[in-house]
Amino acid sequence: MVTLQKKVAIFVPTYLNLSETFFYNIVSGLKSFTPIVFAKEKKNINRFPVTELHTGSELLWHQRISRDPLRAYGTSAEELKKIGVRLIHAQFGPVGLDLLNLKERWPAMPVITHFRGQDAYQLSRDILSRVRLQKLFRVGDYFLTSSKHLREFLVEQLGCPENKVEHFYGGIDVKHIKFKVRDLKQGRKNLKILICGRLTEKKGFEYGIRAF
C-alpha cells in the first residue's frame, strides 16, 4: 500500500534570493511533508530547484487583478483545498499578513508564520501594520522566530501570546562544509576567517573582528 505524503504550502515573497539559502534548506530538507512553494516572483531557479513552484507572475493579467492576496502568489483558497494542503508555512511577517483573509475563510487550516528579524522590526514601526499584527496573533495558529531575542520582542513589544510562539534555529547541512584540520601552533598568518551577513549592527561583525 502506497502512503501519500502530507503536503505543506510554503509562502515566500521571492523564490529565491541568493542570500536566503536558509529557506532552501527548509524546502530541500523536508522528509515527512511534500513542499509546494508559492511566491510572488521567481529567480535563480536553476540554482535552487524545487519540485513544485507557483508564482503570481505566471498568471494571466486578468487573473492577477483580484482583491484576494493569494492571487499574487499564484493560487487561491479553493486551489489549496483541491491539491490537499495540510499545513501552511508563511515565511516572513508580511506574508503572514497576506494570509489573514485565508485564515478567516478557512479557520481549520493550520497557519504558521515565521519571523526572521528585519521583517518584525520593520512592521513594528508602522501603526497600521501593528494593528494587523494583533489580528494575525489572534487568528494565527503558531509563530516561529529565528532567535530567543526576537521571540521576546514579539511577546513583549508586539503582543504575541507567549504560548503561541517559539524560537527555531535554522539548521546547516554540514555535508556541504568540508572539515580541514588546522594547526594554530604554526601561527595565525595563514588562518582565514569568513563572516557572512548583512552589514548591520545586530549581525555582530564587530565582535567577530575583535575575537581574532
Side-chain angles (χ1 to χ4, degrees):
M1 181 179 179
V2 178
T3 302
L4 297 178
Q5 283 190 311
K6 299 176 182 178
K7 296 178 181 179
V8 55
I10 306 178
F11 285 76
V12 64
T14 301
Y15 186 89
L16 188 63
N17 293 314
L18 294 176
S19 62
E20 296 176 355
T21 53
F22 58 85
F23 178 75
Y24 188 67
N25 290 339
I26 294 176
V27 175
S28 60
L30 286 176
K31 303 299 182 184
S32 301
F33 284 83
T34 298
I36 304 175
V37 179
F38 297 89
K40 291 183 177 180
E41 62 176 343
K42 61 182 178 180
K43 60 174 66 173
N44 304 310
I45 301 301
N46 293 335
R47 189 160 184 173
F48 303 110
V50 64
T51 303
E52 188 170 351
L53 171 65
H54 303 265
T55 65
S57 59
E58 296 174 345
L59 298 178
L60 298 176
W61 69 269
H62 65 275
Q63 293 176 312
R64 279 180 266 173
I65 301 177
S66 172
R67 294 182 179 180
D68 184 358
L70 290 181
R71 301 311 292 174
Y73 295 90
T75 189
S76 65
E78 292 71 25
E79 291 172 358
L80 292 175
K81 292 179 181 180
K82 185 177 180 180
I83 62 179
V85 169
R86 301 287 296 276
L87 173 71
I88 292 177
H89 188 176
Q91 287 287 329
F92 303 108
V95 178
L97 294 179
D98 284 342
L99 300 182
L100 270 175
N101 291 338
L102 169 67
K103 186 60 182 175
E104 291 180 329
R105 289 183 293 165
W106 196 3
M109 171 56 63
V111 176
I112 298 174
T113 301
H114 202 148
F115 288 87
R116 295 290 181 174
Q118 186 178 17
D119 53 339
Y121 300 124
Q122 287 182 337
L123 290 174
S124 69
R125 301 188 188 104
D126 181 72
I127 296 178
L128 179 59
S129 294
R130 290 181 73 101
V131 172
R132 298 186 68 208
L133 278 174
Q134 296 305 309
K135 186 176 182 180
L136 178 63
F137 293 147
R138 186 171 64 255
V139 303
D141 295 275
Y142 210 70
F143 303 90
L144 299 174
T145 64
S146 56
S147 67
K148 291 182 179 179
H149 176 76
L150 183 56
R151 179 185 184 277
E152 293 174 357
F153 181 80
L154 256 65
V155 173
E156 298 174 4
Q157 302 297 324
L158 298 182
C160 180
E162 192 169 4
N163 65 332
K164 295 177 72 172
V165 59
E166 189 55 80
H167 67 277
F168 180 81
Y169 297 128
I172 297 176
D173 190 348
V174 295
K175 293 195 300 293
H176 298 302
I177 305 174
K178 296 182 179 180
F179 175 73
K180 180 180 180 181
V181 177
R182 292 171 173 80
D183 188 2
L184 295 183
K185 294 180 181 180
Q186 298 179 359
R188 299 186 178 184
K189 184 177 180 180
N190 297 321
L191 179 64
K192 297 180 180 179
I193 303 296
L194 175 64
I195 306 176
C196 182
R198 289 182 294 109
L199 291 176
T200 59
E201 182 180 359
K202 69 176 182 177
K203 294 299 181 181
F205 284 102
E206 174 188 358
Y207 308 110
I209 295 172
R210 287 183 178 181
F212 297 95

